[in-house]
Amino acid sequence: MPITPKQIPLASSREYGTHPVVPGYQFASDNAAGICPEAWHELEKANVDFAAGYGDDPWTGRATDLIRDVFEKDCDVFFAFNGTAANALALASLAQSYHSIICHELAHVETDECGAPEFFSNGTKLLPVGGAHGKLLPSSIDSMVTRRRDIHYPKPRVVSITQVTELSTAYSVSEIESIGEVCRQHRLALHMDGARFSNAVAALGVAPAEITWKAGVDVLCFGGTKNGMQAGEAIIFFDHSLSVDFAYRCKQAGQLASKMRFLSAPWVGMLSGGAWLEHAKRANAAAVRLEAGVRAIKEVEILGQRDGNALFVKLKPFVKQQLHAEGWRFYDFIGAGGSRLMCSWNTSDSAIDRFLVDLSKAATADPSGKHSSL
Ligand SMILES: *Cc1c(COP(=O)(O)O)cnc(C)c1O
């Protein structure tokens, strides 16, 4: 049964008594949400007096087994503190410094990782490509590879796709299969940034295997943070030969947790009872409610398509200012234009409804009246 936010006590209330809820953070990002109860309870259970460090503990073993169950594959699993490290190290393991990585121009690895993929790979070049809805097309991958074959061009070696994309769209099974096919033709490895992988599984209603290894994905960075964990991403290699020495890479980059059980235990909580999928469904459903509400406000334009937990809207400056003044928090999205309204596992229906009332009021207000100076 899906957990409704009302049933969930704020984790912070244990320590600090009643903690003020800041409704304004509801739509800023899914990382503004707290830790979900399943992750929290398992963290607490892992807080035994003593357990072995560096992953040699029961929680890390159990989390790894659960990931293998979820993906129906005997994969190699590593836990990192965050998504930037997971992506950068995974990509670095797939390419030499003279190679290149084809990605979408709005990809997090290109726009939001401060050059970490290039840094950890000792300079492997990212080759950003355009594409509607934040998606790479097989044809654009093909042309990036075939347009140059000479020694002066960094040899394409990896394709990186984001699922769900930075624009909250999900690649379908067949779209990933076609990308997997073009990767096979050109001997490219396929990496998937799955910071919101759970939201894609929830949106598509498919088995995780269908949109990963069965479709040609070699490495997945499976996001935990934005799905309700305190921190952490799992780097999943579906091909054993690609993960050789990866443990050393993690250690060298400062990503081998000493008290590993506190990074892995929340995965046990998320995966053992299906909370990872329930929370993603909940976040997606919140975005559906928000979208339906915004659609009813004719002054506000919805941008693009939405499959995941974020809705993109075009707001006039005075509408934005008004909402911000009322305490609502959300960001303008770099590159894509518009404002991003991001829902999380803990976004409540009542917050959505309150936001819609405020949005409607602001959007229908006459700008020549009280907002004329904005
Ligand atoms: C949030 C996010 C990440 C990971 O970011 P960190 O802040 O490093 O954890 C990676 N990819 C995408 C698409 C994201 O949205």
Side-chain angles (χ1 to χ4, degrees), residues 15 17 41 68-69 91 94 105 119 145 173 191 218 222 234 243 245 248 267 278 291 348 364:
E15 295 280 331
H41 292 329
R68 289 175 181 148
D69 290 348
L91 290 170
L94 298 171
E105 61 191 4
F119 176 76
V145 177
V173 175
H191 162 262
D218 297 300
F222 184 14
S243 69
D245 288 348
Y248 293 92
W267 284 102
E278 289 308 321
E291 183 172 5
S348 65
T364 53

Side-chain angles (χ1 to χ4, degrees), residues 72 163-164 170-173 197-211 276-277 280-281 284 307-308:
E72 305 170 72
Q163 177 77 320
V164 292
Y171 286 93
S172 68
V173 175
F197 181 79
S198 306
N199 301 91
V201 174
L204 296 167
V206 295
E210 302 292 326
I211 50 170
W276 68 281
L277 195 52
K281 283 182 187 166
N284 288 3
D307 297 307

Side-chain angles (χ1 to χ4, degrees), residues 104-106 129-137 162-171 175 303-307 312 336:
H104 194 275
E105 61 191 4
L106 294 177
V129 185
H133 310 300
K135 293 182 186 177
L136 278 184
L137 286 173
T162 310
Q163 177 77 320
V164 292
T165 69
E166 287 74 7
L167 296 187
S168 209
T169 55
Y171 286 93
E175 283 173 330
L303 301 170
Q305 300 170 354
R306 183 209 52 77
D307 297 307
F312 289 82

Side-chain angles (χ1 to χ4, degrees), residues 82-85 87 108 113 162 166 193 195-196 226 233:
N82 61 33
T84 298
N87 283 334
H108 198 270
E113 300 191 351
T162 310
E166 287 74 7
D193 173 350
R196 299 189 181 89
K226 286 167 181 161
E233 319 275 302

Side-chain angles (χ1 to χ4, degrees), residues 212-276:
T212 54
W213 61 274
K214 284 188 182 172
V217 173
D218 297 300
V219 185
L220 167 70
C221 295
F222 184 14
T225 311
K226 286 167 181 161
N227 193 24
M229 282 171 43
Q230 88 291 10
E233 319 275 302
I235 305 153
I236 305 172
F237 288 84
F238 298 109
D239 176 345
H240 295 301
S241 70
L242 294 175
S243 69
V244 176
D245 288 348
F246 191 73
Y248 293 92
R249 199 178 282 283
C250 289
K251 173 66 189 180
Q252 185 186 50
Q255 290 290 320
L256 177 63
S258 172
K259 287 189 181 177
M260 180 67 93
R261 67 187 189 278
F262 298 114
L263 210 52
S264 57
W267 284 102
V268 175
M270 295 299 273
L271 296 169
S272 57
W276 68 281

